Amino acid sequence: REEEVEELREEEVEKLREEEVEELREEEVEKLREEEVEELREEEVEELREEELEKLREEEVEELREEEVEELREEEVEELREEEVEKLREEEVEELREEEVEKLREEEVEELREEEGKQQKNLERKKQKNLERKKQ
């Protein structure tokens, strides 16, 4: 009987050991699953961070492109303004030249008229003198 009891005890102890080993295995498996889940979460978080960083980089690049395009537009507008100002200056200079030429022509015409008037008066004086001489 003692042997049976001892054998039963040993079986019970063996059974308990097996259960304990099984529990330890299950705990280890659960721990590994949790670690794997945590690792996957960390990887997912890292991927999300990288995606967010890439998105931010792309947004920044787009913003820089837009700024560059705006600067180029502003430069082009300024260049066009400068060209327009230069064109207007040239037109104004040309108008002033034309006005000066016209003024000089008018002065020359006036001088010629005055000269013609003087010559006409001289001719009339000469005629008058000739007439007076003939009468004498």
Side-chain angles (χ1 to χ4, degrees):
R1 204 164 173 161
E2 283 185 24
E3 282 183 15
E4 274 184 30
V5 168
E6 184 62 32
E7 194 176 300
L8 282 172
R9 269 193 195 129
E10 285 178 5
E11 286 177 6
E12 187 65 28
V13 164
E14 183 61 29
K15 189 176 176 184
L16 285 171
R17 279 189 188 139
E18 287 176 0
E19 287 176 1
E20 188 176 341
V21 164
E22 184 60 27
E23 282 180 20
L24 287 171
R25 278 191 190 131
E26 288 175 0
E27 288 175 5
E28 184 64 23
V29 164
E30 181 61 27
K31 183 179 175 186
L32 286 172
R33 280 190 191 128
E34 289 174 358
E35 288 175 357
E36 188 173 343
V37 164
E38 181 61 27
E39 190 175 306
L40 287 171
R41 280 187 188 132
E42 289 174 358
E43 287 175 3
E44 188 175 349
V45 164
E46 183 61 27
E47 285 177 15
L48 287 171
R49 281 187 187 133
E50 289 174 2
E51 288 173 7
E52 184 64 22
L53 274 175
E54 182 60 26
K55 184 179 172 185
L56 287 171
R57 282 188 195 112
E58 289 172 359
E59 289 173 358
E60 188 171 348
V61 164
E62 181 60 27
E63 190 176 308
L64 288 171
R65 281 187 187 135
E66 289 172 359
E67 288 175 3
E68 186 175 353
V69 164
E70 182 60 26
E71 285 178 13
L72 287 172
R73 281 186 187 133
E74 289 173 359
E75 289 175 6
E76 182 67 18
V77 164
E78 182 61 28
E79 189 176 309
L80 287 171
R81 281 187 189 133
E82 290 173 0
E83 288 174 1
E84 185 65 21
V85 165
E86 183 61 26
K87 184 178 175 185
L88 288 171
R89 281 187 187 134
E90 290 172 359
E91 288 174 0
E92 188 175 350
V93 164
E94 184 59 28
E95 285 176 17
L96 288 171
R97 281 187 188 134
E98 289 173 2
E99 288 174 7
E100 186 65 24
V101 165
E102 184 60 29
K103 184 178 172 185
L104 289 171
R105 281 188 189 136
E106 289 173 2
E107 289 174 358
E108 192 175 329
V109 165
E110 185 62 31
E111 287 175 10
L112 287 172
R113 283 187 184 145
E114 287 175 4
E115 186 64 31
E116 189 179 327
K118 287 178 185 176
Q119 287 177 1
Q120 188 68 30
K121 283 181 184 178
N122 284 339
L123 273 177
E124 285 180 24
R125 277 189 214 142
K126 285 181 182 180
K127 281 181 186 178
Q128 191 67 28
K129 283 183 182 179
N130 282 338
L131 280 177
E132 287 177 11
R133 277 188 208 154
K134 285 181 183 178
K135 286 181 183 178
Q136 291 177 355

